[in-house]
């Protein structure tokens, strides 16, 4: 390997000295030993072009593209060859592929600018010239960072970008690139801080503001995201470069639609997505985006029509089929099932589409009571999804054990009542698919309670308190959060509680109480007690196998990585029960447990129990919850718009022959 690297460097030096034949011979020697060495193939292709051996050079480059289709340099080199043989159309296509793969390739942008100028394509010429000017003004280290990002070399990109920022602390483009690296590494709080700083230092930096709006959407800070997209829309609407910014305008309008949907401005969201669909009738994404909002509003017929329109535009668009399945009421036709099966096996179907198709097919065959075929597709979808996700049972164990070790009676007793005294929030916690949406709908049907959504505020606070733990063993075994809860002054808890009330106000109506239905808040009940001691917490519980299997067959939009394996989800449920038992011991009476099966068997009795716990008078509307009209953004939205039914309680038993690993993982949690 080291010898090959040295020979490649020598060949590059030969090229610089004007001796391409010597360089080519050296690379052939390397490739004889390492025939798939991409750098040797690339250097050979350059040497062949310098020898004017264009067909051989192009064939070598096609060999590279076959294994590395996103290597921008290879596409650029193809463009150079086509320029040399005067195939300008092919050259332009190659340079466009080059900059799509690696935006840092300034020479490709320069070639494109000349080609666009010669062909009279003024719109593309303006964009290419803008990129040339941008890259020409950029410090060389940041151009290298862009190139590293294009090749997904995140560690090298981060190291170089941080080194540059040590001497240029407020360089906006450097900060923006570091934020992109943090986003790809899923360090969202760091990305958000960097982009907020970018917007503050350079309010006119459009790309930074777009990136900031994106990260705010990702962490579900919808109010702030809507504020940013409104600034961008005003700027683009009132600016003089509207024609040149058509693509940017569409991007911003799409972001604005998502932000509006997040804050419950559904009419505005639908207006955005339908305008985009009208402007781009061939685009399969916009109908799905609009359909999601219609579904949340309860207009299921309109949503279904738009999902079907999306797969007509792109027959292997997995999201359209999975969204139909995710209505929980749609029955696929024979033709649709055949289309999905064909798409799953099609080599052109992307991995994410294939995953969605598998889950949709599982649903389709389950509806037809073909349970073995259904399970095969559920299992395949989960296996494919698990390949691209990360879940660590060991890390989960540390999270659970650290909460139990820190959040003891000794922590809570001297801090009784130190937080914000507001009694507004009702937290519904538990595992996904455990009946929390039904409880939310029951409570939100009360005149004194607003339903909202799965709010991320408590999770974000926990992340802030956690910070970026050191990579040392002590940090892993004893993370900063929740340990820091025992170190903070009492006043912090009051301020955190007040901030929670203030930050969530945008999601509420006029009712005195509101619901936060984020299931993962079960990790943070100790934190909730400290910052909001008068809040109510409801634990939505369901039969372990019913809950776990329902999670296993559900494809979640984001998060819940534990759900894509039978053993993983069984272990997660067991750990959840362990932590909830701890909260019962150290905070007696703070959490009300509601068993889903009990709600089904005795609806009115459980409704009265819920209302009494929340300090609310009985209202008949809570029993007739299915008549309540409100926006619901969870997979169970259609189910809770129907009267109570028992048919879903034991669906898991149809799959029992294949659920051995789940049972084994649940272990004691299965005991009655």
């Amino acid at each position: 390997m080291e010898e090959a690297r040295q020979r490649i460097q020598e060949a590059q030096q030969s090229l610089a000295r004007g001796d391409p034949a010597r360089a080519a011979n050296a690379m052939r020697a390397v490739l004889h030993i390492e025939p798939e060495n991409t750098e040797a193939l690339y250097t050979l292709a350059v040497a062949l072009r310098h020898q004017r051996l264009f067909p051989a050079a192009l064939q070598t480059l096609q060999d590279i593209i076959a294994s590395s289709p996103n290597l921008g340099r290879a596409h650029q080199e193809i463009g150079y060859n086509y320029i040399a043989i005067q195939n300008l159309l092919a050259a332009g296509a190659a340079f466009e592929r080059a900059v799509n793969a690696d935006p840092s390739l300034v020479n490709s942008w320069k070639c494109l600018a000349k080609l666009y100028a010669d062909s009279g394509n003024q719109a593309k010429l303006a964009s290419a010239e803008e990129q040339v000017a941008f890259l020409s003004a950029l410090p060389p280290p940041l151009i290298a960072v862009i190139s590293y990002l294009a090749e997904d070399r995140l560690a090298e990109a981060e190291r170089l970008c941080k080194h540059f920022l040590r001497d240029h602390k407020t360089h906006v483009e450097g900060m923006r690139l570091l934020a992109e690296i943090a986003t790809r590494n899923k360090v969202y709080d760091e990305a958000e801080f960097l982009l907020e700083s970018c917007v503050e230092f350079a309010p006119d930096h459009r790309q930074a503001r777009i990136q900031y709006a994106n990260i705010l959407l990702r962490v579900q800070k919808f109010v702030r995201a809507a504020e940013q997209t409104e600034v961008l829309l005003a700027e683009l609407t009132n600016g003089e470069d509207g024609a040149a910014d058509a693509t940017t305008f569409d991007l911003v309008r799409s972001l604005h639609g998502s932000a509006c949907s997040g804050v419950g401005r559904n009419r505005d969201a639908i207006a955005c997505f339908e305008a985009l669909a009208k402007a781009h009738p061939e685009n399969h994404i916009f109908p799905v985006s609009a359909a999601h909002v219609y579904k949340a509003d309860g207009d299921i017929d309109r949503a279904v029509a738009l999902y079907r329109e999306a797969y007509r535009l792109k027959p292997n668009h997995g999201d359209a089929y999975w969204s139909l399945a995710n209505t929980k009421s749609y029955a696929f036709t024979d033709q649709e099932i055949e289309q999905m099966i064909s798409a799953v096996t099609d080599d052109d179907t992307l991995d994410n589409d294939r995953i969605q198709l598998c889950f949709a097919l599982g649903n389709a065959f389950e509806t037809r009571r073909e349970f073995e075929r259904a399970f095969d597709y559920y299992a395949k979808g989960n296996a494919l999804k698990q390949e691209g996700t990360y879940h660590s049972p060991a890390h989960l164990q540390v999270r659970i054990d650290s909460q139990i070790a820190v959040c003891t009676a000794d922590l809570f007793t001297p801090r009784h009542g130190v937080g914000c005294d507001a009694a507004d929030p009702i937290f519904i916690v538990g595992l996904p698919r455990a009946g929390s949406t039904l409880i939310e709908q029951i409570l939100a049907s009360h005149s004194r309670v607003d339903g909202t959504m799965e709010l991320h505020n408590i999770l974000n606070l926990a992340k802030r308190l956690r910070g970026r733990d050191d990579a040392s063993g002590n940090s892993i075994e004893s993370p900063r959060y929740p340990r820091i809860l025992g170190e903070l002054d009492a006043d912090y808890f009051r301020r955190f509680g007040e901030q929670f009330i203030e930050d969530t106000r945008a999601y509420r109506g006029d009712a005195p109480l509101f619901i936060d239905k984020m299931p993962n808040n079960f990790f943070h009940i100790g934190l909730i007690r400290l910052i909001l001691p008068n809040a109510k917490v409801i634990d939505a519980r369901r039969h372990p196998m019913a809950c776990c299997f329902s999670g296993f067959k559900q494809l979640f939009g984001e998060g819940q990585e534990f759900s894509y394996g039978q053993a993983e989800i069984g272990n997660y449920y067991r750990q959840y029960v362990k932590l909830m038992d701890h909260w019962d011991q150290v905070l007696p009476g703070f959490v009300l447990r509601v068993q889903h099966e009990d709600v089904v068997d005795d609806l009115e009795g459980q409704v009265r129990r819920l209302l009494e716990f929340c300090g609310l008078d009985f209202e008949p509307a809570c029993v007739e919850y299915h008549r309540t009209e409100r926006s619901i953004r969870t997979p169970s939205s259609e189910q809770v718009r129907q009267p109570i039914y028992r048919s879903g309680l034991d669906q898991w038993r149809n799959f029992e022959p294949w659920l051995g690993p789940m049972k084994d993982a649940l272990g004691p949690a299965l005991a009655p």
Side-chain angles (χ1 to χ4, degrees):
M1 181 69 74
E2 183 58 38
E3 182 180 352
R5 187 180 296 112
Q6 184 175 348
R7 287 194 176 190
I8 291 169
Q9 290 174 350
E10 291 171 356
Q12 291 168 344
Q13 292 168 3
S14 296
L15 283 169
R17 291 194 301 268
D19 192 352
R22 183 182 181 89
N25 288 333
M27 291 304 90
R28 290 189 184 101
V30 171
L31 291 166
H32 181 72
I33 301 170
E34 299 180 21
E36 296 182 359
N37 188 312
T38 299
E39 198 60 34
L41 284 167
Y42 174 78
T43 307
L44 173 61
V46 175
L48 291 170
R49 174 171 62 84
H50 281 285
Q51 292 177 280
R52 304 189 64 78
L53 300 173
F54 303 121
L58 286 167
Q59 182 56 59
T60 303
L61 290 162
Q62 290 303 328
D63 292 342
I64 296 173
I65 297 300
S67 59
S68 303
N70 295 319
L71 187 61
R73 289 180 296 135
H75 290 291
Q76 177 174 264
E77 187 62 28
I78 290 172
Y80 290 155
N81 278 271
Y82 281 128
I83 286 284
I85 61 178
Q86 291 298 298
N87 188 340
L88 303 184
L89 189 64
F95 288 129
E96 286 180 346
R97 287 192 294 270
V99 296
N100 284 335
D102 185 349
S104 74
L105 295 172
V106 65
N107 285 337
S108 286
W109 285 113
K110 289 178 178 178
C111 290
L112 283 170
K114 185 175 189 316
L115 290 169
Y116 294 149
D118 291 345
S119 65
N121 192 330
Q122 293 301 314
K124 285 191 173 182
L125 172 61
S127 177
E129 288 179 337
E130 183 180 343
Q131 286 298 316
V132 170
F134 166 70
L135 291 170
S136 298
L138 209 60
L142 295 186
I143 295 177
V145 169
I146 296 172
S147 184
Y148 284 147
L149 280 169
E151 296 181 20
D152 207 31
R153 295 160 63 180
L154 298 185
E156 292 158 288
E158 182 174 20
R159 184 167 54 251
L160 182 56
C161 198
K162 285 184 173 179
H163 180 77
F164 174 82
L165 285 170
R166 275 204 297 268
D167 298 324
H168 309 83
K169 290 183 172 55
T170 59
H171 193 286
V172 172
E173 201 57 38
M175 295 167 66
R176 191 185 69 78
L177 287 170
L178 188 59
E180 171 64 21
I181 296 165
T183 301
R184 293 200 197 182
N185 284 325
K186 298 186 177 182
V187 188
Y188 299 135
D189 53 343
E190 181 176 313
E192 181 185 347
F193 172 77
L194 286 163
L195 291 166
E196 184 177 15
S197 301
C198 286
V199 170
E200 181 180 342
F201 294 145
D204 296 332
H205 197 302
R206 186 176 298 165
Q207 183 56 40
R209 195 178 292 276
I210 289 172
Q211 209 169 319
Y212 184 37
N214 253 312
I215 197 69
L216 289 171
L217 284 172
R218 189 179 288 268
V219 298
Q220 301 206 2
K221 294 185 177 180
F222 298 116
V223 174
R224 288 167 60 191
E227 293 170 353
Q228 296 304 316
T229 54
E230 283 166 357
V231 170
L232 287 161
L233 283 174
E235 175 187 313
L236 290 165
T237 303
N238 299 327
E240 298 179 359
D241 55 349
D245 277 319
T247 302
T248 302
F249 185 78
D250 288 343
L251 170 61
V252 171
R253 188 155 52 170
S254 178
L255 292 173
H256 186 61
S258 298
C260 288
S261 174
V263 295
R265 292 164 50 187
N266 289 353
R267 289 186 181 180
D268 291 340
I270 288 171
C272 285
F273 295 131
E274 290 191 337
L276 287 163
K278 185 177 180 180
H280 303 280
E282 77 294 343
N283 187 292
H284 58 281
I285 300 295
F286 301 134
V288 171
S289 298
H292 289 340
V293 187
Y294 278 116
K295 176 176 178 281
D297 259 357
D299 190 346
I300 194 66
D301 291 338
R302 181 62 177 149
V304 165
L306 286 166
Y307 291 139
R308 296 179 75 175
E309 172 65 18
Y311 78 61
R312 278 193 287 270
L313 291 168
K314 185 173 183 285
N316 65 352
H317 184 38
D319 195 15
Y321 295 103
W322 167 241
S323 295
L324 284 168
N326 210 24
T327 65
K328 310 302 181 185
S329 60
Y330 186 78
F332 288 103
T333 65
D334 291 345
Q335 182 181 357
E336 287 171 330
I337 291 176
E338 289 174 8
Q339 288 173 194
M340 288 191 285
I341 291 173
S342 175
V344 165
T345 57
D346 189 341
D347 290 341
D348 291 334
T349 299
L350 299 175
D351 288 345
N352 196 52
D353 289 306
R354 186 171 286 109
I355 291 167
Q356 293 167 323
L357 287 160
C358 285
F359 277 93
L361 281 164
N363 172 272
F365 286 118
E366 182 179 2
T367 301
R368 295 179 173 218
R369 301 190 65 79
E370 296 182 42
F371 298 120
E372 187 168 3
R373 291 188 77 182
F375 182 79
D376 285 345
Y377 278 109
Y378 284 140
K380 183 176 182 180
N382 274 284
L384 289 170
K385 181 69 175 177
Q386 198 174 46
E387 290 176 6
T389 60
Y390 175 76
H391 168 68
S392 168
H395 182 233
L396 171 65
Q397 183 78 49
V398 169
R399 292 185 70 188
I400 298 292
D401 289 349
S402 62
Q403 290 286 342
I404 292 173
V406 172
C407 297
T408 63
D410 290 341
L411 175 71
F412 296 115
T413 301
R415 295 171 178 81
H416 179 72
V418 297
C420 170
D421 61 5
D424 306 27
I426 302 171
F427 294 93
I428 303 176
V429 304
L431 262 65
R433 314 295 298 144
S436 59
T437 304
L438 175 58
I439 295 173
E440 178 195 36
Q441 183 75 350
I442 288 169
L443 290 173
S445 300
H446 197 283
S447 62
R448 292 175 56 78
V449 181
D450 284 327
T452 59
M453 61 178 66
E454 296 179 359
L455 303 176
H456 279 60
N457 300 70
I458 294 295
L459 304 188
N460 289 337
L461 174 58
K463 287 178 183 176
R464 282 170 54 200
L465 294 172
R466 186 180 303 120
R468 296 193 70 176
D469 283 330
D470 296 331
S472 65
N474 289 336
S475 174
I476 293 172
E477 295 303 323
S478 179
R480 183 172 182 263
Y481 168 81
R483 188 181 69 245
I484 194 174
L485 296 178
E487 303 168 2
L488 292 173
D489 292 337
D491 189 54
Y492 277 101
F493 299 119
R494 177 185 57 78
R495 286 156 51 191
F496 290 151
E498 290 173 350
Q499 183 177 8
F500 175 87
I501 296 298
E502 182 61 30
D503 290 348
T504 55
R505 200 168 300 282
Y507 301 99
R508 303 171 56 177
D510 298 326
L513 304 182
F514 73 99
I515 300 166
D516 178 348
K517 200 181 76 69
M518 170 55 70
N520 295 355
N521 281 339
F522 80 85
F523 282 106
H524 310 296
I525 290 174
L527 175 61
I528 291 171
R529 175 58 177 253
L530 289 168
I531 70 171
L532 293 159
N534 296 319
K536 305 297 182 184
V537 180
I538 297 166
D539 174 25
R541 189 75 64 92
R542 188 178 178 188
H543 183 285
M545 288 297 291
C547 182
C548 290
F549 179 67
S550 187
F552 181 75
K553 68 177 185 176
Q554 179 69 40
L555 178 60
F556 295 96
E558 191 171 66
Q560 318 304 354
E561 287 86 357
F562 65 88
S563 68
Y564 300 112
Q566 290 197 51
E568 289 80 359
I569 197 169
N571 175 65
Y572 192 93
Y573 187 99
R574 196 175 73 247
Q575 295 289 349
Y576 145 74
V577 170
K578 176 182 174 181
L579 184 55
M580 293 309 302
D581 288 346
H582 172 74
W583 299 130
D584 288 345
Q585 291 172 14
V586 299
L587 297 171
F590 189 58
V591 178
L592 177 72
R593 184 150 301 111
V594 178
Q595 194 73 31
H596 179 66
E597 292 79 7
D598 293 343
V599 178
V600 173
D601 289 338
D602 179 19
L603 176 60
E604 183 171 335
Q606 290 299 312
V607 167
R608 289 183 180 276
R609 180 170 170 256
L610 276 164
L611 296 179
E612 181 181 359
F613 177 73
C614 295
L616 296 166
D617 294 332
F618 177 78
E619 291 184 0
C622 296
V623 178
E624 299 182 349
Y625 62 87
H626 54 282
R627 301 183 187 277
T628 302
E629 294 185 3
R630 52 182 287 267
S631 182
I632 307 171
R633 297 176 178 82
T634 65
S636 304
S637 60
E638 288 311 297
Q639 293 165 307
V640 301
R641 291 189 172 108
Q642 305 167 24
I644 206 83
Y645 60 92
R646 296 188 54 83
S647 59
L649 293 183
D650 293 322
Q651 285 179 339
W652 69 272
R653 294 193 183 278
N654 296 317
F655 297 86
E656 193 168 6
W658 306 286
L659 299 180
M662 189 178 292
K663 285 185 176 181
D664 292 342
L666 282 165
L670 273 174

